[in-house]
Amino acid sequence: MREVAALAGVSLKTVSRVVNREPGVSSELVRKVERAATQLDFRPNLTAANLRRAGQRTATIGLVLEDVSNPFFAAILRGVEEVAVQRGVAVFAASLDEDQNQEQQIIEELLSRRVDGLILAPTALEQGYLANEMRSGLALAFVDRAPRGVDGDVIVTDNRGATENAVRHLIGMGHHRIAFIGGVAALPTAEDRYDGYLDAMMAAQVKVPADYVVRDVRTVQQAERIVTALMQSANPPTAIFTAQNLISMGAVRALRSLGVERSVAQIGYDDFELADVLNPGVTVVAQDPRRIGRLAAEALFARIADAGRATATTVVPSELIKRGSGEIPPPRER
Amino acid sequence: MREVAALAGVSLKTVSRVVNREPGVSSELVRKVERAATQLDFRPNLTAANLRRAGQRTATIGLVLEDVSNPFFAAILRGVEEVAVQRGVAVFAASLDEDQNQEQQIIEELLSRRVDGLILAPTALEQGYLANEMRSGLALAFVDRAPRGVDGDVIVTDNRGATENAVRHLIGMGHHRIAFIGGVAALPTAEDRYDGYLDAMMAAQVKVPADYVVRDVRTVQQAERIVTALMQSANPPTAIFTAQNLISMGAVRALRSLGVERSVAQIGYDDFELADVLNPGVTVVAQDPRRIGRLAAEALFARIADAGRATATTVVPSELIKRGSGEIPPPRER
DNA sequence: TTGAAAGCGCTAACAC
DNA sequence: GTGTTAGCGCTTTCAA
């Protein structure tokens, strides 16, 4: 910028005014400065500008997720990007991998870069370590799962209600032997879905054998093994509720390789690509993750603009999409 | 940081030394400073530090893709993150959407933030506008597609060869009537795959009717319509090569809803989730996008470290995975 | 309408 | 070992 000023024969401040389109510069100088800037390939350094600028905003936000390559999270990122780009805000994306403990460390990294706000899909058990930051003005929004130990805007689906509804649908088809295969049990999402399952089962006064509930499943392969074992057990279920997209895919594999996909009912939480093309199509509880991302970003920007506003929890409805697998009746009792 | 210095009763520079773990500070002062830092919830401002630090590095890179929510690109992002996080580098993720013209604008945004480097899956026709930046030291790497009008490290798969190989496989099964459904024709990837198709067809002296080639297909829905129409035409193909993952999924839908998935052969470029669970499984040319992301990030960091090194093109092999759909023979000639 | 001086939070270079 | 001074690239404040 100094060079531009020298070449244009004006002061630093005048260049700054032109670059930022501040009013009150004669059009002649504007032209001169612009010419010099082009000639020197000048590009303002946002980083330096923000250092001095009011509020110290960096026009960046961070998005911390479990794994961007999971389509569910990828769609959230997409939604966040969509609203961020409109505001000229850049998005740092970070995946946490298996290592839950990374959460805090990665967040520190982003805070060192002075992001204006953070959108977080919490994986650690507790987010109390963020309380300090929030007090000192960090804007925060949570997606998919409510945080623990700290307050903030939350965008979630109605995990419990939607699951209850789906399991009730299975019960309505005549099923009593309904298994539940869930994800990392420590996550609120997983817990809520499990509670929804129990709600439906208890409301219908259906007993839940201990071996019909498997939790803490993390991968497609693990889900496949578990469902395979379950179906080969002495008293296999007639229907399965799979509480997460990777688990659903694992179950799909298992049922198909056992050749029982037409006789065992399945409903999954989260939609996945090609679920409707399979035969039978897989009935799912579908969320709208891109919308969740958009809403989270909007909540975050609202909070950045007004740190004092009350926190809110937004529940995005999810929809039971019936494609066949959830509508398979149980075999006749003998 | 000034406050920490004041509270600890030392100079600014000593605090800086402690924070950056520079040697040569008495352990007593280290303790004092650390206590003061904790007490004040001090977190160093990386942004300010980098402004002054040698080389003006920001320890951030940008990744500009067509659409993160496409699993192929999401996996690339994941690979990039993986190597970036090891180096304490944060990754800006940006999707371009349909709007190709955004490419330049989004890149400008990132350059204003002084990213140390950029990984780009080019969508614009030409990247000549980057030549200036490169000359002034911007590190650049390209994934999936080679750039035009500018030189740089490129990580791609052997689109042409792998496609030729796949089409040859279909020909080897006895097919002559092989359709090619391709993506945005302006992209080098799409062109290379088309050329590979032509290579194989010409080598086998097989004629290619004009209506067997459809290019510029952008969405799953569009692919589905096109394949449906093609199969209902007077002279339908006996095999289809689908040159991109979204197109493959569209074709899968079309063939299945026509009920011809067991009689029409299909090979797709890019693997996709559940391709192996379908019946028949979908034969694909599988890339390893996560590896592509890792390699691109490594190339980028190498270039950041040494701007003078020669640019290289890395061709990541891709693999023909035979799952059944590509091994369907043509119906007997009458 | 334009510019000079101070300073954002930090580190480089050099003193002590 | 520790501190001082200057300055990264820009904006703010205030004076001209």
Side-chain angles (χ1 to χ4, degrees):
Chain A
M1 178 141 146
R2 230 188 21 222
E3 292 176 40
V4 176
L7 182 60
V10 299
S11 80
L12 248 186
K13 178 64 219 187
T14 300
V15 178
S16 168
R17 285 194 178 103
V18 173
V19 167
N20 295 303
R21 287 167 169 55
E22 284 174 37
V25 182
S26 69
S27 52
E28 189 197 355
L29 284 195
V30 171
R31 229 177 331 105
K32 269 194 195 168
V33 170
E34 279 172 350
R35 187 130 42 93
T38 321
Q39 196 176 324
L40 294 173
D41 272 327
F42 172 75
R43 190 190 311 283
N45 184 333
L46 244 189
T47 282
N50 287 325
L51 195 56
R52 193 72 176 81
R53 232 192 283 264
Q56 306 264 115
R57 298 270 168 78
T58 55
T60 60
I61 61 174
L63 176 61
V64 180
L65 301 169
E66 203 174 308
D67 179 5
V68 228
S69 67
N70 181 322
F72 176 75
F73 291 117
I76 289 181
L77 168 55
R78 200 67 188 68
V80 170
E81 277 186 2
E82 205 176 306
V83 351
V85 77
Q86 289 170 2
R87 297 170 178 257
V89 168
V91 181
F92 283 117
S95 299
L96 294 173
D97 263 322
E98 304 70 33
D99 190 4
Q100 320 274 33
N101 312 24
Q102 270 202 309
E103 178 178 308
Q104 195 164 349
Q105 185 194 328
I106 286 196
I107 287 176
E108 303 254 333
E109 275 267 333
L110 293 175
L111 292 181
S112 294
R113 292 189 167 76
R114 292 299 188 270
V115 291
D116 296 336
L118 227 43
I119 298 177
L120 193 59
T123 59
L125 296 181
E126 218 261 339
Q127 282 70 41
Y129 64 92
L130 285 172
N132 261 343
E133 315 295 343
M134 291 192 68
R135 236 173 283 119
S136 44
L138 174 67
L140 221 46
F142 298 92
V143 285
D144 189 38
R145 306 151 188 169
R148 291 180 179 176
V150 64
D151 192 29
D153 293 300
V154 182
I155 318 288
V156 283
T157 42
D158 177 19
N159 290 296
R160 187 165 179 166
T163 303
E164 185 190 351
N165 184 42
V167 176
R168 208 188 306 127
H169 177 69
L170 289 172
I171 294 172
M173 295 301 305
H175 292 278
H176 296 269
R177 286 153 48 192
I178 306 173
F180 176 94
I181 320 288
V184 182
L187 297 177
T189 331
E191 199 164 308
D192 289 348
R193 293 176 191 172
Y194 180 54
D195 288 344
Y197 164 77
L198 292 182
D199 289 347
M201 297 296 267
M202 288 173 73
Q205 305 196 312
V206 178
K207 276 205 190 115
V208 179
D211 58 335
Y212 277 14
V213 172
V214 184
R215 307 184 65 190
D216 260 322
V217 178
R218 287 153 202 271
T219 66
V220 175
Q221 292 74 29
Q222 203 187 341
E224 184 173 356
R225 279 197 305 274
I226 286 168
V227 172
T228 303
L230 192 58
M231 295 314 301
Q232 291 174 334
S233 68
N235 187 31
T238 62
I240 303 180
F241 183 83
T242 48
Q244 192 243 21
N245 61 0
L246 301 181
I247 299 171
S248 301
M249 293 185 207
V252 161
R253 284 174 189 280
L255 295 183
R256 255 145 255 257
S257 72
L258 293 172
V260 297
E261 75 270 22
R262 288 167 199 281
S263 55
V264 176
Q266 181 190 355
I267 299 185
Y269 211 112
D270 289 336
D271 203 0
F272 53 93
E273 202 70 59
L274 297 183
D276 59 330
V277 169
L278 294 168
N279 198 342
V282 180
T283 296
V284 298
V285 178
Q287 303 190 53
D288 185 348
R290 187 149 173 179
R291 174 145 177 252
I292 291 176
R294 275 197 303 264
L295 289 172
E298 275 155 15
L300 187 71
F301 287 122
R303 178 153 307 283
I304 290 172
D306 172 14
R309 77 198 275 276
T311 61
T313 295
T314 306
V315 178
V316 180
S318 47
E319 188 193 357
L320 184 68
I321 303 183
K322 297 168 190 165
R323 294 190 177 122
S325 78
E327 290 67 41
I328 297 172
R332 291 265 198 80
E333 301 280 340
R334 279 164 297 174
Chain B
M1 178 141 146
R2 231 188 21 223
E3 293 177 38
V4 176
L7 182 61
V10 298
S11 80
L12 248 187
K13 179 66 218 186
T14 301
V15 178
S16 167
R17 284 193 178 103
V18 173
V19 167
N20 294 302
R21 287 168 168 55
E22 284 173 37
V25 182
S26 71
S27 53
E28 189 197 356
L29 284 196
V30 171
R31 228 176 333 104
K32 268 194 194 169
V33 169
E34 279 172 351
R35 188 129 42 94
T38 321
Q39 196 175 326
L40 293 174
D41 272 329
F42 172 75
R43 189 188 313 283
N45 184 333
L46 244 190
T47 281
N50 288 326
L51 195 57
R52 193 72 179 82
R53 234 193 282 263
Q56 306 264 112
R57 297 271 168 77
T58 55
T60 60
I61 61 174
L63 175 60
V64 180
L65 301 169
E66 204 175 309
D67 179 5
V68 227
S69 65
N70 180 322
F72 176 76
F73 291 117
I76 290 181
L77 168 55
R78 200 67 188 70
V80 170
E81 278 186 2
E82 205 176 306
V83 350
V85 77
Q86 287 170 2
R87 298 170 178 257
V89 169
V91 181
F92 283 117
S95 299
L96 293 173
D97 262 323
E98 305 70 32
D99 190 4
Q100 320 274 35
N101 313 24
Q102 270 201 308
E103 178 177 308
Q104 196 165 349
Q105 185 195 328
I106 287 196
I107 287 175
E108 303 256 331
E109 275 267 332
L110 293 175
L111 292 181
S112 292
R113 291 188 168 78
R114 291 298 188 271
V115 291
D116 296 335
L118 226 43
I119 298 176
L120 192 58
T123 59
L125 297 182
E126 218 262 340
Q127 281 71 43
Y129 64 93
L130 285 172
N132 261 343
E133 314 295 342
M134 290 192 70
R135 235 173 284 120
S136 44
L138 174 68
L140 221 46
F142 298 91
V143 285
D144 190 37
R145 307 151 188 169
R148 293 181 178 174
V150 64
D151 192 31
D153 293 301
V154 182
I155 317 288
V156 282
T157 42
D158 177 18
N159 290 296
R160 187 166 179 165
T163 303
E164 184 190 351
N165 183 42
V167 175
R168 207 187 308 127
H169 178 68
L170 289 172
I171 293 171
M173 295 300 305
H175 291 277
H176 296 268
R177 286 153 48 192
I178 306 173
F180 176 92
I181 320 289
V184 181
L187 297 177
T189 332
E191 200 164 307
D192 289 348
R193 293 176 192 172
Y194 180 54
D195 288 343
Y197 164 77
L198 291 182
D199 289 348
M201 297 297 267
M202 288 173 74
Q205 305 195 312
V206 178
K207 278 209 189 111
V208 179
D211 58 335
Y212 277 14
V213 173
V214 184
R215 307 183 65 191
D216 259 323
V217 178
R218 288 155 200 270
T219 65
V220 175
Q221 293 74 28
Q222 203 187 341
E224 185 173 355
R225 279 197 304 274
I226 286 167
V227 172
T228 303
L230 192 58
M231 296 313 301
Q232 291 174 334
S233 69
N235 187 31
T238 61
I240 303 180
F241 184 82
T242 49
Q244 191 244 20
N245 62 358
L246 301 181
I247 299 172
S248 300
M249 292 185 208
V252 162
R253 284 173 189 281
L255 296 183
R256 253 145 258 255
S257 71
L258 293 171
V260 297
E261 75 270 20
R262 288 168 199 281
S263 55
V264 176
Q266 181 191 354
I267 299 185
Y269 210 112
D270 288 337
D271 203 0
F272 53 93
E273 201 70 59
L274 297 183
D276 58 331
V277 168
L278 293 168
N279 198 340
V282 181
T283 296
V284 298
V285 178
Q287 303 191 52
D288 185 347
R290 188 152 172 175
R291 174 145 177 252
I292 291 175
R294 275 197 303 262
L295 289 173
E298 275 156 15
L300 187 71
F301 286 123
R303 177 152 308 282
I304 289 172
D306 172 15
R309 77 199 274 276
T311 61
T313 295
T314 305
V315 178
V316 179
S318 47
E319 188 193 356
L320 184 68
I321 303 183
K322 297 169 190 165
R323 294 189 178 123
S325 78
E327 291 67 43
I328 297 172
R332 292 266 197 79
E333 299 281 339
R334 279 164 295 174

